[in-house]
Amino acid sequence: MVYATLAALVLPLAAGAAGMSRGFNKLLEAVVRIDVREIEFENGAKRFTGGIGSGVIIAEDGLVLTNAHVVSPQAVEISVTLANLERVSATLVGWDHWTDLALLRLDTASLKARGLGFSAANFGDSSELFAGQTVYAVGTPHGLTRTVTRGIISNHNRYFEDTGGVNGHETGSFNTWLQTDAAINPGNSGGPLVTEDGKVIGINSRTYIGAENLGFAIPADVARRVAAALVKEGTITRSYIGLVPGVLQDLERFYALASNTGMLINRVDPGSPAAKAGLRAGDVLLTLNGKKVDGRFPEQLPPIQQTIASLPVGAKVALEVKRGTQVMPFTIQTEKLESRVGEEWAFEKWGLSVRKVTRAYARENQLLDASGLIVLGAQPGYPAAEAGLARGDIITKVGSEPITELVRLKKVYEAYEAQPGPQLVEAQRNRRISLYVIKP
Amino acid sequence: MNFFRRLLLTAALTALTASAATLPELFNERLKSVVAVEFFVQAETERQPVTVMGTVIDAQGTIILPPAAILPGIPPAQLKDFKVYRPGSTEPANAAYLGQDAFTGWHFLRVEEKRRAGLVPITHYTAISGELSLSEELWGIGLRNRDEDFMPYFLGARVATVMKLPQKTAILGSDVASPGLPVFNATGQFAGLAQSSFGQNFLLFSRNQHATPILLINVEESSVVLLADEVLPHLGRVPQSVTGRPIAWFGAYGLQPMDPEVAKLLQRENQSGVVLSDIMEGSPAAQAGLLERDIVLAIDGRPLPRLKPDRVVVGYFGQQVLRHQPGEALQLTILRGTTQQEVSVRLGDEPKLAREADRAYLDRLGLTVREFLYNDGLMHRAKPGELAGVMVQFVKPGSPVAAAGLRTDDWVREIDGEEIKTYAQALSKLRAIEADVKRSEFVLLVSRGGETAVLRIKLI
């Protein structure tokens, strides 16, 4: 008994030196480097770009977790370098830019044929972390494969949102982040943040450029949930009602509220379900489906957003809202959450690249509806640029064909390829309509 | 250096022209038609001095200044202390601001009566008749700044080309006068008024960087001259009031030229046109039944001219509107789809402009509020029925509202939770808050770029 107790006391201490922990060694075997080639539709052309990131194998069947800003659906070639320095290709299972996570699957058949193995890491519980706890970041900073850096948890509940954080896509609305001072550099993205015993408690994802030792990771609890959903569905469906929350702190007295009650509605997206139901900026949300809401501090907002997002699409949600001295009930039907970044494409003979206008983009830019394609770029000297089209124009019509969806322009383009001829293009900029002619 | 080079040029020209009146004689005579004008713009916490050049146009001491002399949106009440100087003199004469003419864009001043002696209107000299010929030698007057006693100097250049922009405008090979001052030919005939100069592209080389393209604009001298027959017919357009009203209003904002390639495709080759869009609800254009995508081909039976660059035709259209009075009808020939039709538009009265709007500065809070205008509604995509709230015209740096994050051009929708319907209501609420020294805070609901935010402003 005495020995056992001693052993129990000594072992965790010994494990404190990461290099000696069996768990930590196993983790190192599960960290990979990811090289990606992806398509980019900037400047009127289809171009290939490359990037390097990190990832961590999380299951014995070869699932790799990384960042959405490392591997997106525009990736055409994903190459994973295992701990034993062997390379294997991978495919994208799904991505979720809102949490900046992507899930890959290794080509296990190829591994088997080559007789190669790997190990999978285990998740830890990110809700039990405390500030000051020692953590390690493992990854490929600046392409330096298998780099381990050490630091502590600087804050385990950091709030920030970034409307263009993942290659122009929104991120951060539905989760808080782990902050660490372990050195995180470009290339660390997608690699794990681990405890001393090698448990993955976060996925490293970003850092403040120009600041020192301010790194951020997605908590493992979020990563685990997202990964499970991506395996199952390949995508994550969220609900949207169109409320942009604000912080109530310091405003309770003005709104005559008890402390820790309510969430300020800072904005209502025009045309959203909430706007249609009559909600207004300045209203205070008191309850959501009968449950009390507390959005006093910024850190409390992502969980509230997550609650709304996890409602089924098309479900009716009951809100109680305080407006002035009145408390008013509202019923809102949720719709599917959309990014403001739509599908992209390039029409190479025209030197024109476009992106679908989405509902979110249309609302943000006060467009009348979500039809049309935004010009991402027009290559100088090519027909689109010669006609006068420029980045930011919204193409709404070609010839007599209204361009509501991307497929419509693809169809027009196919006809053009078969038989080139002048095309009358109608485009808008700041609601100003202009006509252009694309000539072969 | 530049200046001395010009002095040399003067000498050379003088030698070339030895006719009845020598150029120096003509130059000294024509100086009686030009003045330097100083005034300042009195903003909330700052005042900005301005020096511009003007031309005398009549025996009542009326002076015109170029459109760019005063930034649009500045209310006449903020324009203070107009002083007029003769070339080479430091003795100011007082002048009154009469307003801006919407059609020409000129600002009009009138010199106090007792100081009008010696001013000679530009109409006193004969104007060039007929077309200006290419390479014709013109000369004009430049004025230095106050530290050089507004010393006049001679500039000369040849006509490089004459363009319609949409008015007939001569472009000279080099600078010929200060913007706003007259230009003459060798015999002293009035040729036109120098406009703001055009930008010129240069490459900037530096030790560390390769060539960087830059655009340079000469603000002191110009090579662009609005010809006399585009100036003289409009000298009588002295504003009837300081607001420059009446101003005719059409009511479509997104006007674009019809591209020549588009014209060809629409089988309207060699025709010019203006594509209409952004037609505001309730505007004269909307009332006449005009629709987005209609293409205007002719006004009052006259086809729109083909002008270069293409966008000049939009300016032409705007001027045709402004030639009319509110209430008059404009007969438009339009192309809707593939059918041509006639539409009659009864022009309205231009909605209140920013420079005419009611506004008030609240020093303790640190902001200027301005009434919400039709044009603000346009900017914010609000329907005419939704014109409520007030605009933030100015935010004093370091003030309570600045600390709370309020910015210029924010649209205030609510004050202390009360919806703002009128400017008077907003002003009375803000004045009450400002007067209440015990007040520790107040709350604004503002819209900015389609987003709304609640701002809490701490006063103590």
Side-chain angles (χ1 to χ4, degrees), chain B residues 36-40 50-52 80-85 146 150:
Chain B
V37 175
E38 281 191 334
F39 60 95
F40 60 83
V50 180
T51 306
V52 289
K80 307 272 188 196
D81 228 8
F82 281 88
K83 299 250 186 278
V84 171
Y85 295 86
R146 195 231 278 262
F150 305 107

Side-chain angles (χ1 to χ4, degrees), chain B residues 359-425:
Chain B
R359 61 183 76 203
Y361 174 55
L362 297 116
D363 186 58
R364 187 163 89 94
L365 305 182
L367 82 163
T368 298
V369 288
R370 164 170 77 62
E371 67 177 310
F372 192 82
L373 302 170
Y374 187 90
N375 285 331
D376 295 315
L378 189 74
M379 294 279 292
H380 286 92
R381 302 287 176 212
K383 294 207 171 70
E386 295 169 7
L387 305 183
V390 285
M391 293 299 295
V392 176
Q393 177 74 33
F394 168 77
V395 172
K396 183 166 79 164
S399 66
V401 294
L406 193 74
R407 289 193 226 150
T408 302
D409 289 335
D410 279 352
W411 179 15
V412 177
R413 315 296 299 274
E414 288 179 12
I415 300 173
D416 276 344
E418 188 180 309
E419 199 179 339
I420 298 303
K421 294 249 187 336
T422 65
Y423 168 74
Q425 174 202 6

Side-chain angles (χ1 to χ4, degrees), chain B residues 250-400:
Chain B
F250 179 69
Y253 293 82
L255 302 181
Q256 298 288 316
M258 175 170 67
D259 186 277
E261 293 292 341
V262 173
K264 209 159 138 189
L265 208 71
L266 295 172
Q267 288 157 8
R268 299 280 165 177
E269 208 162 352
N270 298 325
Q271 284 192 41
S272 183
V274 169
V275 185
L276 300 183
S277 53
D278 222 348
I279 296 169
M280 282 305 286
E281 244 180 270
S283 68
Q287 282 173 6
L290 286 167
L291 300 175
E292 292 194 339
R293 299 176 181 77
D294 285 349
I295 302 175
V296 178
L297 298 174
I299 303 175
D300 294 335
R302 287 188 306 276
L304 294 181
R306 292 191 71 195
L307 300 167
K308 288 287 158 184
D310 290 337
R311 63 175 183 279
V312 173
V313 73
V314 175
Y316 174 87
F317 182 82
Q319 287 210 325
Q320 294 312 305
V321 171
L322 290 171
R323 271 180 197 277
H324 289 75
Q325 294 290 316
E328 289 178 6
L330 208 60
Q331 199 68 31
L332 301 182
T333 309
I334 61 156
L335 189 64
R336 179 172 296 166
T338 51
T339 52
Q340 188 167 319
Q341 44 185 289
E342 297 289 314
V343 175
S344 176
V345 181
R346 187 156 299 279
L347 296 173
D349 223 328
E350 172 75 30
K352 208 175 204 183
L353 298 165
R355 62 170 191 249
E356 303 167 82
D358 287 332
R359 61 183 76 203
Y361 174 55
L362 297 116
D363 186 58
R364 187 163 89 94
L365 305 182
L367 82 163
T368 298
V369 288
R370 164 170 77 62
E371 67 177 310
F372 192 82
L373 302 170
Y374 187 90
N375 285 331
D376 295 315
L378 189 74
M379 294 279 292
H380 286 92
R381 302 287 176 212
K383 294 207 171 70
E386 295 169 7
L387 305 183
V390 285
M391 293 299 295
V392 176
Q393 177 74 33
F394 168 77
V395 172
K396 183 166 79 164
S399 66

Side-chain angles (χ1 to χ4, degrees), chain A residues 250-251 253-255 264 266-267 281-282 366 387 422 424 426 428 430-437 439, chain B residues 253-254 256 259 261-262 265 275 277-278 292-293 295 380-381 416-417 440 443 445 450-454 456:
Chain A
D250 298 338
L251 287 166
R253 215 156 52 103
F254 172 71
Y255 287 109
L264 179 64
N266 219 11
R267 172 161 67 101
Q366 293 171 289
L424 183 62
E426 186 183 290
Q428 300 193 12
N430 298 329
R431 284 213 209 159
R432 286 173 189 199
I433 299 169
S434 293
L435 298 171
Y436 305 94
V437 177
K439 287 201 303 186
Chain B
Y253 293 82
Q256 298 288 316
D259 186 277
E261 293 292 341
V262 173
L265 208 71
V275 185
S277 53
D278 222 348
E292 292 194 339
R293 299 176 181 77
I295 302 175
H380 286 92
R381 302 287 176 212
D416 276 344
S440 64
V443 174
L445 179 71
E451 300 197 359
T452 311
V454 178
R456 170 176 178 254

Side-chain angles (χ1 to χ4, degrees), chain B residues 228-240:
Chain B
D229 50 1
E230 299 278 5
V231 174
L232 297 172
H234 306 302
L235 292 180
R237 297 186 66 97
V238 184
Q240 296 161 31

Side-chain angles (χ1 to χ4, degrees), chain A residues 238-243 268-269 271-279 288-289 308-309 311-319 329-337 359 363:
Chain A
R238 291 189 177 82
S239 274
Y240 163 87
I241 56 174
L243 298 183
V268 179
D269 289 342
S272 67
K276 283 182 204 148
L279 281 168
L288 193 83
N289 279 340
I308 296 171
L311 295 166
V313 174
K316 294 229 162 86
V317 46
L319 308 180
F330 288 92
T331 307
I332 298 175
Q333 188 167 15
T334 67
E335 60 181 46
K336 188 167 175 263
L337 177 71
R359 252 183 353 235
R363 281 174 185 148

Side-chain angles (χ1 to χ4, degrees), chain A residues 397-411:
Chain A
K397 201 170 165 188
V398 176
S400 56
E401 179 83 6
I403 305 297
T404 47
E405 298 293 336
L406 187 55
V407 288
R408 296 242 184 168
L409 191 56
K410 284 185 183 173
K411 223 172 72 191

